Amino acid sequence: MPDQITETHQNSSPGFTPRELIFKYIRFLPWVIISLGVIMTLAYIKLRYSTPIYNVSGKLLVSRNNGARGGADKFDDIFQMQGASNNLNNEMEIIRSRFMAARVVKSLGLQFQYYNKGKIRTTTMRAADMPFELQILLLKDSSNGIGRMVTVVNENQFSLGENPELHYFNQTLDLPEGSVRLIKKFSALHGFSSNQFIVGWTPLENMSAGLSGSIKVEKTGDFTDVLGISYETDNIRLGLDIVNSFMQEYQKFGLEDKKLQADNTLDFIKDQLDTVKIELGGVERNLQGYKEKNRVFAQDQQSAIIFGQLSENEKLQTQFDVKLKVIDYLINYINNKKNLYKLVPASLGVDEPSLIQQITEFNRLQLERETLLKTAPAANQMVINLETGIGRIRNDMLENLDNVRQTYLVTLTDIKSKSQGASNEIKMLPQKEKQLLEVTRQQKILEELFSFLLQKKLETSIASASTISNIRVLEPAMSTGMSVSPNRRALYIMALLLGIAIPVGIIVLREYLNDKVKGKHDIERLTSTPVLGEIGHAEDSGALVVTKNNRHFIAEQFRIIRSNLQYILPKTGKPVIMVTSSFSGEGKSFISTNLGAVLAVSGKKTVILEFDIRKPKILEGLGLSERLGITNYIVGNIPVNNIIYPVPSVENLYVIPCGPVPPNPAEILLDDKVSLLFKELSNQFDIIIIDTAPVGLVSDAITLSKNVSACVYIVRHNYTYKKQVQLIDELYIQKKLPHLSIVINDIESHGTYGSYGYGYGYGYGYGYGADYFENGKITKKGFWKSFRKRLGI
């Protein structure tokens, strides 16, 4: 039956609905609102105090048509009057270069900077809009800049920085950096944010580097020759001047470059014409002299003779190389001790008569020795004489072979020398031919170059007189007047997203890192143990909540548990219910007390046993003083009736205290009197409630489980660890505790568990109707109390 109830309960338990999800996280809504308010306020402040940046842009057309050419001459790529390259990428780099930025800085006088200091922000000013201008008379160090705060006091006077000393306009000022002067332009200061200005001067190199990094150049399309130039600034008029100046200076630079190329080309052509004349005459004289000096004539016949000599020498060299190898072979053969009495080959191609004679005599003696050894011992005097003769001839052969080898080496060296000479002659033939070809080629090149230079001189003179720029301004600089930074819309959207993301991220991280039971769904996900019921958070300090006429919502929750017990308890007349938990502080004694009370008010005579003899809390919770109890009964001979005490405020409810805490609580529970105690109590009471020690810490509950009918396991909301629920599942599956079920304790209505009640469908909730049960009247809470409760503070 309990298994059937468990299965029915799990199948009928609703999933995590969107409504529950809303009520689970609704208490964090104030934090989201606060975060949104703070982030949006910071975004507004940033926009309020940030300097608006505007984009100024213009367009240039870079024409690739360099004018009519005089044909596809192979020398045209050398002398291009319209520029070396019209590659747009190169042109973009030229515009962004520090060189071009320096031209713009000089043309606009951007080395002098002016700012108007306001109450909120400082504004960049054009020199033309300033009531005065800075003039530098002398600089001690041109690599360092100058900067000062100028406060205009009246039409004729001003002060510098924090110094109250007054100076006159047009007066020379001696500063540590040098001598300067402020030239007055006009007196009216209306239209300015204040009478305070910042003036400064920056070296050209530094200003050019900064400006070149700020200007943006890009192609407007993949198939066009139009370049877009843009610049971001807080002063639109200054930005217009800078972009227009970049386009103008780039156009001027193109014309200057072309004119410079034309002039340089004409000078080059004139110089080259004179040089080519001289070189051409010299080359012709060199050609004649070279032929006479190197006797370059009938080169084919000369080559045939030299090649014949080289072939003959190589053949002789091969023959002597073979003979040398044979000599080396004979020397090694004769010197080898293994061949002392072996025949020496005679027909190896060595044609020295004396050596052949020695080899023949040596082989004859070897044969005589071999014949004599067949009839005489090796110690025979004739054998010894023959061996002595063999050794003498061997030495003579080695000496003769060495002399022959030296003769062959000398001959081979001479042959190689002749071969090398022939080879050198052969090598010189291509070089002579090459040199002759080079001299002839130089003559032809110079003749062609002289003719070309005469033609180009005329073309260059014509082109120089009609040079025009291939750069045209399509659109002068303009601005939409809309700021690009800070982007108000993007900033507010980012602030909105950030204001939501921060609290949501914290909530998600908190939920992810939380390893405590947050709700019924956590329990159902971790264990198949049935949930008997839920108990809300008790605000009262007393442990006893359930009384006869108490309609508190927690009392009603205990009544729901009492109804659900009938599906958990086995069919027994007088059940024994044990209450345990994973560790201390989960409300085990509170549940035991009120579970006994709710059973007692139903007419069942109920007794609560304070079997948590290590840390008893039942009497303390009921407001009773310590007295004789279970340990006195087990250790002494005290009758059971002497340790049973009625609970004054609840009829039919009794309590048996723990008694003195023993030094060996685990061994006390193994005493036979424990079983006897349950037998005697079952004769007097309808229901027995056991408050025992936490099963996750000690074995007391396992020891007592043999005497109980069902076990109620307490899980405290937001207190019990999820890994402890796995212990419950293990106890349930292995049936270590009989008819195990779970009661969830201390559920707060503003917590993540939800704002409405759960149960099996019997009884009341504790969220929407929590105040309904307060003595039959609805109690309204103040706004700030409810708000703080939602925040969890």
Side-chain angles (χ1 to χ4, degrees):
M1 183 64 178
D3 295 339
Q4 295 176 355
I5 295 302
T6 300
E7 184 178 356
T8 302
H9 162 65
Q10 291 177 346
N11 293 335
S12 62
S13 178
F16 204 56
T17 64
R19 181 183 180 189
E20 294 179 24
L21 183 66
I22 293 173
F23 278 102
K24 180 178 180 180
Y25 293 105
I26 193 66
R27 70 189 184 97
F28 295 109
L29 182 60
W31 288 115
V32 176
I33 295 174
I34 291 173
S35 175
L36 278 173
V38 171
I39 299 298
M40 295 297 281
T41 302
L42 292 177
Y44 171 78
I45 294 174
K46 177 176 177 57
L47 291 173
R48 178 69 177 84
Y49 291 97
S50 295
T51 300
I53 304 298
Y54 305 93
N55 184 69
V56 180
S57 61
K59 290 183 180 180
L60 281 174
L61 173 63
V62 181
S63 176
R64 302 193 186 204
N65 183 15
N66 293 331
R69 308 296 298 176
D73 198 304
K74 55 189 174 183
F75 291 99
D76 284 350
D77 290 337
I78 302 175
F79 303 98
Q80 288 190 3
M81 294 302 304
Q82 302 300 327
S85 174
N86 275 323
N87 184 280
L88 285 183
N89 292 327
N90 294 340
E91 302 303 315
M92 291 165 60
E93 291 301 321
I94 293 174
I95 297 174
R96 284 193 292 255
S97 66
R98 285 197 295 261
F99 164 75
M100 192 60 62
R103 293 175 63 111
V104 174
V105 170
K106 290 179 181 178
S107 65
L108 296 179
L110 296 181
Q111 285 183 263
F112 296 90
Q113 295 94 44
Y114 302 93
Y115 305 92
N116 184 208
K117 188 175 182 181
K119 295 181 179 179
I120 298 176
R121 53 177 175 255
T122 300
T123 305
T124 304
M125 302 296 297
R126 292 197 319 160
D129 299 330
M130 288 289 293
F132 57 86
E133 67 177 355
L134 175 65
Q135 187 181 75
I136 296 179
L137 304 177
L138 175 65
L139 276 179
K140 295 180 180 179
D141 186 359
S142 61
S143 63
N144 294 325
I146 299 176
R148 289 292 188 277
M149 171 78 74
V150 176
T151 303
V152 178
V153 179
N154 51 51
E155 294 182 358
N156 299 315
Q157 292 180 308
F158 62 91
S159 63
L160 293 178
E162 302 296 331
N163 191 346
E165 181 182 358
L166 297 181
H167 305 277
Y168 288 93
F169 286 105
N170 303 327
Q171 172 187 348
T172 300
L173 303 175
D174 293 326
L175 302 178
E177 297 87 349
S179 300
V180 299
R181 181 186 299 162
L182 291 183
I183 306 301
K184 183 180 177 183
K185 296 166 62 177
F186 54 85
S187 302
L189 294 179
H190 61 273
F192 294 96
S193 300
S194 68
N195 62 338
Q196 291 184 321
F197 300 88
I198 299 174
V199 298
W201 178 89
T202 302
L204 179 62
E205 294 79 8
N206 299 345
M207 196 65 196
S208 301
L211 185 59
S212 65
S214 301
I215 198 72
K216 296 179 182 178
V217 185
E218 59 186 1
K219 289 186 272 189
T220 59
D222 295 333
F223 304 101
T224 65
D225 295 336
V226 178
L227 296 179
I229 302 178
S230 61
Y231 180 72
E232 293 184 355
T233 178
D234 59 340
N235 189 312
I236 295 179
R237 296 180 65 186
L238 179 61
L240 295 173
D241 292 343
I242 290 176
V243 173
N244 284 327
S245 180
F246 260 102
M247 293 191 290
Q248 293 168 6
E249 292 297 326
Y250 177 55
Q251 196 174 34
K252 292 178 182 178
F253 169 74
L255 284 172
E256 294 170 0
D257 187 50
K258 290 177 182 180
K259 290 181 179 179
L260 179 62
Q261 288 186 55
D263 294 340
N264 291 339
T265 303
L266 283 174
D267 293 340
F268 171 78
I269 291 174
K270 293 176 182 178
D271 293 340
Q272 290 301 312
L273 279 172
D274 297 336
T275 304
V276 169
K277 285 181 182 179
I278 298 173
E279 290 181 354
L280 184 58
V283 167
E284 290 175 346
R285 287 191 297 271
N286 289 339
L287 179 60
Q288 181 180 358
Y290 180 80
K291 289 183 177 181
E292 295 175 353
K293 179 180 178 181
N294 293 279
R295 293 179 296 174
V296 179
F297 57 89
Q299 293 184 359
D300 294 339
Q301 296 178 3
Q302 293 177 350
S303 300
I305 295 172
I306 295 173
F307 273 111
Q309 293 176 354
L310 180 63
S311 177
E312 183 67 23
N313 289 335
E314 287 180 350
K315 185 184 299 183
L316 291 174
Q317 182 178 344
T318 302
Q319 293 177 358
F320 277 94
D321 283 336
V322 173
K323 289 181 178 181
L324 279 174
K325 289 183 179 180
V326 172
I327 295 297
D328 291 338
Y329 168 74
L330 289 174
I331 292 173
N332 293 331
Y333 182 85
I334 295 172
N335 283 328
N336 193 342
K337 293 180 179 181
K338 295 180 179 180
N339 304 320
L340 287 177
Y341 299 106
K342 291 184 179 180
L343 298 179
V344 175
S347 59
L348 292 177
V350 180
D351 52 356
E352 293 294 329
S354 60
L355 179 62
I356 293 175
Q357 183 180 358
Q358 289 175 343
I359 292 175
T360 302
E361 181 65 19
F362 181 80
N363 290 338
R364 187 187 65 79
L365 293 177
Q366 290 283 14
L367 293 173
E368 289 181 4
R369 178 181 174 276
E370 290 293 330
T371 303
L372 184 60
L373 286 174
K374 292 179 181 178
T375 58
N380 188 283
Q381 185 61 39
M382 294 181 66
V383 173
I384 294 173
N385 292 336
L386 287 173
E387 291 178 349
T388 302
I390 290 172
R392 185 175 58 255
I393 295 175
R394 180 185 293 110
N395 293 333
D396 292 342
M397 283 193 301
L398 289 173
E399 183 178 358
N400 196 4
L401 285 170
D402 185 63
N403 293 333
V404 171
R405 188 177 187 279
Q406 293 298 325
T407 301
Y408 284 176
L409 286 175
V410 172
T411 304
L412 184 62
T413 302
D414 183 58
I415 292 173
K416 288 182 177 180
S417 177
K418 292 180 180 180
S419 298
Q420 183 66 36
S423 298
N424 292 337
E425 287 291 331
I426 292 174
K427 291 179 181 179
M428 290 297 295
L429 289 176
Q431 183 177 359
K432 291 179 180 179
E433 292 179 357
K434 180 180 178 183
Q435 291 177 354
L436 180 61
L437 182 62
E438 288 178 353
V439 175
T440 305
R441 185 185 299 115
Q442 289 177 4
Q443 180 187 19
K444 293 180 179 179
I445 291 174
L446 290 174
E447 289 176 351
E448 189 174 354
L449 180 59
F450 185 77
S451 175
F452 169 76
L453 289 174
L454 288 176
Q455 179 184 354
K456 284 298 176 183
K457 181 179 179 182
L458 179 60
E459 292 179 359
T460 303
S461 300
I462 296 173
S464 178
S466 59
T467 299
I468 59 173
S469 176
N470 63 334
I471 300 165
R472 187 170 61 185
V473 178
L474 286 184
E475 293 182 3
M478 62 172 294
S479 175
T480 60
M482 301 293 293
S483 63
V484 296
S485 175
N487 190 324
R488 301 180 66 87
R489 184 171 178 270
L491 185 62
Y492 277 126
I493 292 176
M494 183 180 296
L496 179 64
L497 296 177
L498 193 62
I500 296 175
I502 290 176
V504 170
I506 294 174
I507 293 168
V508 171
L509 183 63
R510 177 183 174 185
E511 290 291 318
Y512 177 78
L513 297 177
N514 180 55
D515 59 347
K516 295 180 180 179
V517 175
K518 302 296 290 185
K520 185 177 180 181
H521 289 279
D522 288 342
I523 297 174
E524 292 177 341
R525 187 175 65 253
L526 296 172
T527 179
S528 56
T529 308
V531 177
L532 188 62
E534 302 90 17
I535 303 300
H537 177 71
E539 301 288 348
D540 299 335
S541 59
L544 185 60
V545 177
V546 178
T547 56
K548 187 174 183 179
N549 298 319
N550 190 345
R551 294 186 59 193
H552 192 278
F553 78 95
I554 294 181
E556 295 302 326
Q557 290 175 316
F558 276 105
R559 291 185 176 95
I560 293 173
I561 292 175
R562 180 182 64 191
S563 300
N564 292 336
L565 270 174
Q566 62 181 318
Y567 300 103
I568 299 299
L569 292 174
K571 297 301 181 180
T572 179
K574 296 183 177 182
V576 179
I577 302 172
M578 181 173 65
V579 180
T580 187
S581 64
S582 299
F583 51 89
S584 180
E586 293 177 295
K588 177 171 52 61
S589 299
F590 172 77
I591 299 297
S592 300
T593 301
N594 289 281
L595 182 59
V598 77
L599 292 170
V601 297
S602 67
K604 301 290 185 179
K605 189 176 181 182
T606 306
V607 62
I608 302 174
L609 277 65
E610 195 176 34
F611 253 110
D612 189 356
I613 58 179
R614 303 170 187 268
K615 195 175 180 181
K617 292 184 179 179
I618 296 292
L619 286 186
E620 180 183 350
L622 293 173
L624 301 177
S625 59
E626 293 187 9
R627 54 198 72 188
L628 298 177
I630 296 173
T631 56
N632 301 103
Y633 170 79
I634 295 174
V635 176
N637 296 320
I638 301 175
V640 174
N641 293 332
N642 291 352
I643 60 173
I644 300 175
Y645 306 98
V647 178
S649 56
V650 182
E651 187 179 357
N652 292 326
L653 181 61
Y654 299 85
V655 63
I656 298 179
C658 168
V661 177
N664 55 343
E667 288 71 18
I668 287 291
L669 298 180
L670 297 174
D671 196 286
D672 294 338
K673 276 195 169 184
V674 175
S675 299
L676 180 61
L677 174 63
F678 284 106
K679 290 180 181 179
E680 293 184 12
L681 292 176
S682 63
N683 295 329
Q684 300 183 40
F685 295 94
D686 298 323
I687 298 176
I688 301 173
I689 305 295
I690 303 174
D691 176 33
T692 187
V695 71
L697 300 178
V698 294
S699 62
D700 295 7
I702 303 297
T703 303
L704 292 172
S705 63
K706 62 183 180 180
N707 301 303
V708 303
S709 307
C711 180
V712 176
Y713 205 105
I714 309 302
V715 173
R716 185 173 177 179
H717 168 252
N718 206 26
Y719 186 84
T720 302
Y721 292 98
K722 293 178 181 178
K723 61 182 178 180
Q724 300 295 340
V725 180
Q726 297 175 356
L727 172 63
I728 303 175
D729 192 58
E730 179 183 347
L731 294 173
Y732 179 75
I733 293 174
Q734 298 179 5
K735 300 186 181 299
K736 292 184 178 181
L737 295 177
H739 296 89
L740 184 63
S741 61
I742 297 174
V743 170
I744 306 172
N745 185 33
D746 197 27
I747 299 173
E748 300 185 17
S749 61
H750 69 275
T752 58
Y753 193 77
S755 298
Y756 53 91
Y758 292 95
Y760 295 102
Y762 312 105
Y764 310 100
Y766 57 86
Y768 290 127
D771 297 326
Y772 173 78
F773 300 102
E774 298 289 345
N775 299 322
K777 298 179 181 180
I778 297 176
T779 303
K780 295 183 179 180
K781 298 180 180 179
F783 171 78
W784 287 110
K785 185 175 181 181
S786 299
F787 180 75
R788 292 180 61 192
K789 190 172 184 180
R790 286 291 178 190
L791 295 180
I793 56 178

